[in-house]
Amino acid sequence: MEIFLVLGSPLLGGVLLALWGHRARAAELNVAMSCITFLAAALLTWRVIANGPMITADAQFAVDALNVFLVALTAFVAMTTAIFSRPYMRIEAAHGRLTDGRLRLYHAMYQLFTFTMLLVLLTNNLGILWVATEAATLTTVLLVSLYRTPASLEAAWKYFILCGVGIAQALFGTILLYFAAERVLGAGGDALLWTRLSAVSGSLEPTVISIAFVFLLVGYGTKVGLVPLHNWLPDAHAEGPTPVSAVLSGLLLNVALYALVRCKVLVDGSLQSPFAGNLLMGFGLLSVVVAAFFLSRQRDIKRLFAYSSIEHMGLITFAFGMGGPIASFAGLLHMTVHSLTKSAIFFAVGHATQKAGTQIIDEIQGLMKVNPTVGWGLLLGSLAILGMPPFGVFASEFLILTDAMRHQPWATPILLISLAVAFAAVISKVQPMVFGHPRTDTPLKRLPFTPAQIPLYVHLSIVLMLGLYIPPPLAEWYRQAARLIG
Amino acid sequence: MTTLSGIVLQFFELLLAVLVAPLLTGWVNVCRAWMQNRSAPPVLTPYRVLLKLFTKEPVLAYNASSLFRITPYILFGCMCLAAAIVPTLNINLPINAAADAIALVGVFALARVFMALAAMDIGTAFGTLGARREMMIGFLAEPALLIVLFTSSLISNTTSLSSIVGQMARMDLVIYPSLAFAGVAYTMVSLAENARIPVDNPATHLELTMIHEAMLLEYSGRHLALMEWAASLKLFTYSCMGIALFVPFGISDGDSWAGVLVALTALAFKLALGGSLLALIETMSAKMRIFRAPEFLGTAFILAVLAMLIHLLLETP
Amino acid sequence: MPNVTPLQNILVVVMLWLAVGLAGLAFPRNLRIVTKLLFPIGAAGALALAVSGYSAVTGAVDTLILPLGLPDLPFHLRLDALSGFFLMLLGAVGTGVSVYAAGYLRAGEASAPGVQCFFFQVFLASMALVTIANDAYAFMVFWETMALSSYFLVVSDHEQPDIRRAAFLYLLMAHVGAVAILLCFGVLQGGTGDYTFDSMRGVEHTPFWGTVAFALALAGFGGKAGIVPLHVWLPEAHPAAPSPASALLSAVMLKIAVYGFLRIMFDLLDTSVWWWGVVVLALGLITALYGVIFSAVQSDMKRLLAWSSIENIGFIFAGLGLAITFRAYGMGALAALALTAALYHSLNHGFFKSLLFLATGSVLHATSERSLGKLGGLIHRMPWVAWLALVGTLGIAGVPPLNGFVSEWMLLQAFLFTPGLPHPYLNMFIPVATAVAVLAAALAGYVMVKFYGVVFLGRPREEKLIEAHDAGAWEKIGLAWLAAGCVLLGLMPVAVVELIGNITRLLVGQSLGNPSNWLYLAPINAERSSYSPLLLLTVVALVALATWMLVRYFFHGRIRRGPAWDCGFPAQTSRMQDTAEGFGQPVRVVFEPFFRMQRELPLPSDQSPRYRVTVDDHFWYWIYLPLARATEFLSRMASKLQQGRISIYLLYSFLTLIALLFFVR
Amino acid sequence: MSSTQALLAPSLPSQLINLLAAVMLLIAFAMLAQRRVLTLINLFAVQGLILTASTLLVAWTTSQPHLYWSALITLVLKVLVLPLILHRLIRKLNVKWDVETLIKIPTTMIVGIVLVILSFNLALPISALSGTVARGTLGIAIAIVLLAFLMMITRSKAVPQVIGFLAMENGLFFAATSATYGMPMVVELGIALDVLIGMVILGVFFFQIRERFDSLDIRHLEKLKED
């Protein structure tokens, strides 16, 4: 029943906030609903760990180690982001960038977005999974254009069209999958249930499945932000409100990748060949390389980190493509640390841009002097995301790279060079922002509310801990999930 | 090795070096005067100069630090040590184990560093100029000198000077072409190291050309005396080292005083010859521009390397 | 304390350091607590570490597995003689530097003292941990933590653009190096998937993969150590840090890189090929020469020292190269000699370079000047610093009887054995290459005379130098500790060589020395060569003393003060002394091809003549700028992909789809 | 006897469905070639109508009751609601509506032919497996999807692009009915809901874009790029 609590609380929150989202205490309500969601998710996680996988509601929902881990992560980051967005959105409103009506839209859509993501994760039906993924796009489109600036409208339009077209391919893939499944399982709703499909994946028709996977890959891959399907991503991240960038980068990409991985498991079962894995590795590698080279030309700080997200998604995709217990483990770990770190970075970036009144990198300087906690947060977060030990991103990158050295040695130098290029690019951008004197020609803005530091440092602390120590239960959990992925 | 007679012999040798060194300087001056058709000063002039300087009151610049004042003593100490290490009369010297050929070069470097630092201490234009030039000559000469020493030590498989000289002296007369090259290189290095023409002119106080003298400009009285004496000792040591490496015949091996006497005679003869040779070189050549010195010492270095290669190619079985 | 192993001791010290660092973060702006309480505690920890390191060098191998790190690869720790040696170095130097830092830190300078304290302690702790790491993950974590904490130390005075640039370059190079090291470990595990060092020791490598591992290790650790052409970050980053941090960077961190190289080449990699050693030797010699000639033309005192660090690293790598070659030919005793020389030089450099960097720190505080052109005459105002720095200067100049000479002497001895190599070219070329080593060593003397003479001797070049004050008590103690180290290392070589013997026995199976004779250092045998600094010093001191007494006795001790003579030149000013640039001029002329020089010469008719000369590093223009441009070009190409047109974006998706469909068919 | 007859001469419903499929493909090409946006909307409505007809036909021949619901949804959504919304939008936004394409139309047509060949090739092995009456139509469905994709690429205004998007949805729907007799009901409802919400959001967007840019030309939307 925790499942319904997990899904119900953001849905209810969405409805409530659609009604009262512009009132004084709406932000608190947003936080409260997110906290309830997280508690429910924690309860669900505890149940699954204690009792093993569960399938409920006429097999429409299935929870195993793989998705419960993502449910917990999603609910957690959604909660911390809600906490962050409370002062952030108030400052935005105080700076006159938002009206009450838009604030209501924001709050309602935030909850509904959480709902759709959790639905993607929890549903056992691949059709519903598609529906929910599309819904996740729809809920965030209006958030991206929240400021109604020309740039934000453009970004939202591109986001809508590219993801819409992309996701349509995924629907075609799902239809083909259903077509193949129907021949084995018979017509009807059961034929799209993942648990049923994975049980019979060996007898699915390989030709159909491989074509289906192409469509699924292009479809969900667009949402993951794999190069060359990534073009919506930097625009959408840069132009939306920062909490939205945080959840887009930290959560939505993960969720889309989750969908892709679920499909990959079926394809692997059917084809008994590394076809799907090779495709994933190829796209992953391409994403890492191209994103790394994009980084050095960025002038907008949020765009910079959007490309960094593409790079990391590429890395995770590569890891899942490679497969095997270590790489899958590493991929899951990287998902965790990436979403924690990246959202933390966006928290810091958000307040930094509010303080400077701009997102242009060259115009933000001397954060250490202006606001040391934000400055340190941004610097440490950037170092963490670039894979500097002792942060957790290094742990997962170490595992991915070392496993690649064993199984795909040719790819390792490419990955390492790209990571080094990315390192140079990001540090060369972030360092001048953090250090030095604040610019004198652009006046700093006053922040009428205290910036949210706690979510930022909580995330960084967890990431730091994961670099030095992965608690055995968590490791066991990852291992189970990795076994599911294969 | 460290027998009583050995220690006595060591002291004797050191004392001899300290006392005879100014004589060698005087002898070179005399020879040079002769060759230049001048009337020569008495050969004992250097002693008189030293005595005069010792009795005089030294004048120190106002901002001379104590480094400036201790340098003459350190320099003198270093040169005495160097003189003691180089086998002049006997090869069984107790102090020899304290420093081999490389360490000897090190001791010279120590002296040079102190002298240069002292020259910079007062803060005059000439002092720093001298220091810089001296250090330049140093870094150019040292590699050549070490390669010369390495050639000798490759022949004798040791870097201990006593052992090198002992082996050379004991050997039958075999012609070592490498040693010829090394000898020329050594001579060139010695000229540079001892501030002789063509690299430096010990007799000049012409501002733009001096090296060694520029460093001594601020010294006077007993300090200057010690510096001058140390310079004589250095010349003496270099000469003895050259003799020991290239024409060691006659040097005594063992504790017999008779042998030492023979060696003393041989040494006196060889030094006299060497001194006049030096005077001849100085007369025949002209002082060159300071930035020709790298070429000069570079030639020395190439010769030394050739010597080593010839040894490795022709003389190793 | 019953049954506490040295390894546990070390962990306790590391914990102590981390605790001290965190305490510093707790009181970021409380200068009194940070300097008078935390740094002395850290120093005590460092001393304890040095003792533990010493006992590890002589003791047995000890291992430990911590329940941290990755689930399948927890932190493996291992303490052997090699680790112990570098821990000893870290502890001993760290003690001096920490004590000094207690007196050095000021409020309002660079970042807050507590924050500096934190990174300082983390830096120390991570360096200690690197030396005891026994698996690739632990090693990389500690290694990068070391880079990161030192980056924060370098950038602590971040308001200056130059420092930010230096720090960025440093971090970037460190990271690229780390990438190479990680790849190296990937090669070393040899397909087993086991990243513990114990497993790597057991893997056999083909010469090809061995060579790949060697090249990667050389690039990774050489880059960290500052081997040419990967040295460019070093002269930027080391001077940028506050002086205690510069001291640690130059004196200790470079040695940790040497440690890493040693660990891989002599412990983890089972094969060895003779020409590896030649490559290392050649690079080492080039580095030494390149470092020293650039050192000679610097006009910033800390940059001068940083370049000098490059030179010294070159010597160390030359020694390692010889050792690798000797080892490949099975000449154990000679490999031990070369290795001993390299290790000894590491130790020496640790002491004198930290001493000199700290001395520059005191000068900086007393005068707020780093430029050699504005210093001078400080021996009168700062006698303590000046005389202690003299010890370091003589040490680094490589003159007997101080420590720098001992290691150079042994290195040259090792060179003299190369004609015995069973290879027709090597046995001719390497002896000639010796000349390069000697040249670099002689140039080091030149550089150090310039450094010391311009900073401490002569007359003050600026008015304000008159007000310079000597260092405080803490600083003096720190400096004296390091100077004492230089003297002891110089005078007691036999004991040190005996200690290093434990390591060479571990790495090449043999050791040097005749322990029976404590006075003479005779690495191979006494007939061949021997050296006794103590005796040497005694003779010089006795003679000097006797001379002094005799002169006084026979003549007199009177002295008169007067103006400087200077050939009777009137109206001398302090500006007439050689400038730092002037002092470097001979080197600039002799080694002209090494420099990328730009001169601006005044014309006789110029009203306000300007003379300017800038000296640059060729490698910037040969390697780094082209690389940067290539990256820039590639990103420009990449950005052409994204021109904002939604139709084009759709076309990408479309083409991807079509291509994949073709691929499937 | 009957089986051979089935092979040689397909049953009447099957022939009818094939005919409808062919018409749909024709409409897809017509849309690709069409310059006027009003006609484009009408073509889209006609395509929806044919889709409804074919769905009904499949439902009737195979007696799958849930397909009637699908047909109803299609009818309501794609034939009535969406074209209506689009018409209203156009009237409200009141802009001149000549479609400009980015690539010349003949070129587009040639590319379209190539796409159709590819689609048929791709569908061949899949159709061979299909037991449904409309198995031959899968290739056409893929072709419709790809042609719609092509149309989206070549159009420079927002409304035709959206119509392309919706045509793609039609193709998908057609594939679902022809190859599998439709998706499970819950999924289909979800898809319909998504499409509807998407259209609403698009409507909102059109107004916002016009408000900002005074035009629905998406060439104004090219500011966010790398330089």
Side-chain angles (χ1 to χ4, degrees), chain A residues 93-137:
Chain A
H95 284 173
R97 299 188 69 189
L98 287 174
T99 59
D100 277 356
R102 300 214 196 131
L103 215 51
R104 180 166 71 175
L105 177 72
Y106 167 78
H107 282 131
M109 284 301 168
Y110 185 85
Q111 288 294 327
L112 287 179
F113 175 56
T114 316
F115 165 73
T116 55
M117 280 193 298
L118 291 169
L119 184 59
V120 172
L121 294 172
L122 287 171
T123 184
N124 193 21
N125 188 322
L126 288 176
I128 299 296
L129 182 136
W130 182 88
V131 171
T133 317
E134 172 76 0
T137 313

Side-chain angles (χ1 to χ4, degrees), chain C residues 597-643:
Chain C
M597 253 188 290
Q598 282 177 319
R599 274 212 191 82
E600 194 181 313
L601 293 173
L603 294 171
S605 55
D606 278 352
Q607 287 300 312
S608 51
R610 252 169 67 84
Y611 173 76
R612 199 177 59 89
V613 56
T614 52
V615 177
D616 270 334
D617 193 341
H618 276 307
F619 285 101
W620 265 119
Y621 300 89
W622 289 343
I623 299 180
Y624 292 89
L625 290 182
L627 221 94
R629 273 197 289 272
T631 316
E632 166 88 35
F633 174 77
L634 282 176
S635 12
R636 212 167 41 240
M637 289 294 108
S639 69
K640 290 228 163 85
L641 289 176
Q642 207 151 345
Q643 286 301 329

Side-chain angles (χ1 to χ4, degrees), chain C residues 19 314 316 406 438 534 575:
Chain C
I316 294 169
V406 182
V438 177
L534 210 54
R575 310 290 302 170

Side-chain angles (χ1 to χ4, degrees), chain C residues 82 85-86 89-90 93 250-259 262 312-313 315-317 320 338-354 403-404 407-408 489 500:
Chain C
L82 182 63
F85 177 77
F86 283 92
L89 167 66
L90 168 65
V93 174
S250 254
V252 187
M253 194 187 73
L254 301 185
K255 309 306 153 8
I256 301 296
V258 172
Y259 162 80
L262 276 170
N312 282 283
I313 282 296
F315 278 127
I316 294 169
F317 271 77
L320 295 182
L339 200 56
T340 309
L343 288 171
Y344 206 133
H345 201 72
S346 304
L347 205 53
N348 289 338
H349 184 245
F351 276 91
F352 49 60
K353 191 48 66 67
S354 51
N403 53 351
S407 38
E408 279 174 22
L489 284 172
I500 295 177

Side-chain angles (χ1 to χ4, degrees), chain C residues 149-189:
Chain C
S149 48
S150 52
Y151 162 77
F152 281 115
L153 287 173
V154 169
V155 83
S156 59
D157 194 8
H158 58 79
E159 283 171 30
Q160 297 176 32
D162 284 354
I163 286 183
R164 291 201 297 273
R165 184 175 161 271
F168 167 65
L169 186 65
Y170 168 52
L171 192 61
L172 180 60
M173 293 292 288
H175 192 71
V176 171
V179 162
I181 295 169
L182 185 57
L183 268 176
C184 176
F185 286 133
V187 174
L188 284 177
Q189 53 78 35

Side-chain angles (χ1 to χ4, degrees), chain A residues 158 293 307 369 431 467-468, chain C residues 69 137 151 159 164 642 644:
Chain A
K158 285 177 180 166
F293 280 100
Y307 278 109
K369 298 234 156 201
Q431 189 181 271
L468 293 172
Chain C
Y137 182 69
Y151 162 77
E159 283 171 30
R164 291 201 297 273
Q642 207 151 345

Side-chain angles (χ1 to χ4, degrees), chain A residues 154 157-158 161-162 165 169 210-211 214-215 217-218 228-231 234-235 275 279 283 290 293-294 296-297 303 307 329 368-369 376 379-380 383 386-391 394-395 398-399 401-402 405-406 412 416 420-421 423-424 427-428 431-432 435-437 467-470 475 479, chain C residues 67-73 75 115 119 136-137 140-142 144-145 147-148 151-152 155 158-159 163-165 167-168 171-172 175-176 179 182-183 185-187 189 191-193 195 630-632 634-636 638-642 644-646 649-650 652-653 656-657 660-661 663-665:
Chain A
E154 181 184 342
W157 174 257
K158 285 177 180 166
I161 291 292
L162 288 171
V165 170
Q169 314 305 317
S210 56
I211 295 176
V214 167
F215 280 98
L217 177 63
V218 171
L229 315 166
H230 67 282
N231 297 285
D235 299 348
F275 166 74
L279 278 186
F283 274 96
V290 173
F293 280 100
F294 264 122
S296 70
R297 295 183 67 82
R303 248 180 124 74
Y307 278 109
F329 180 99
M368 282 303 188
K369 298 234 156 201
W376 277 111
L379 185 59
L380 291 177
L383 289 167
L386 291 168
M388 270 311 232
F391 293 102
F394 175 74
F398 178 85
L399 286 172
L401 290 169
T402 49
M405 282 173 202
R406 216 172 142 207
T412 334
L416 283 173
V421 169
F423 186 89
I427 288 294
S428 71
Q431 189 181 271
F435 291 124
H437 279 295
L468 293 172
Y469 176 67
I470 298 175
R479 279 202 197 96
Chain C
L68 296 174
L70 298 173
D72 295 324
L73 192 63
F75 286 167
V115 177
F119 287 118
Y137 182 69
M140 292 309 299
V141 167
F142 301 144
E144 290 274 68
T145 307
L148 202 55
Y151 162 77
F152 281 115
V155 83
H158 58 79
E159 283 171 30
I163 286 183
R164 291 201 297 273
R165 184 175 161 271
F168 167 65
L171 192 61
L172 180 60
H175 192 71
V176 171
V179 162
L182 185 57
L183 268 176
F185 286 133
V187 174
Q189 53 78 35
T192 58
Y195 279 84
T631 316
E632 166 88 35
L634 282 176
S635 12
R636 212 167 41 240
S639 69
K640 290 228 163 85
L641 289 176
Q642 207 151 345
R645 263 195 180 182
I646 196 161
Y649 296 168
L650 283 170
Y652 292 150
S653 305
T656 311
L657 185 65
L660 285 178
L661 288 176
F663 176 65
V664 173
R665 288 292 286 142

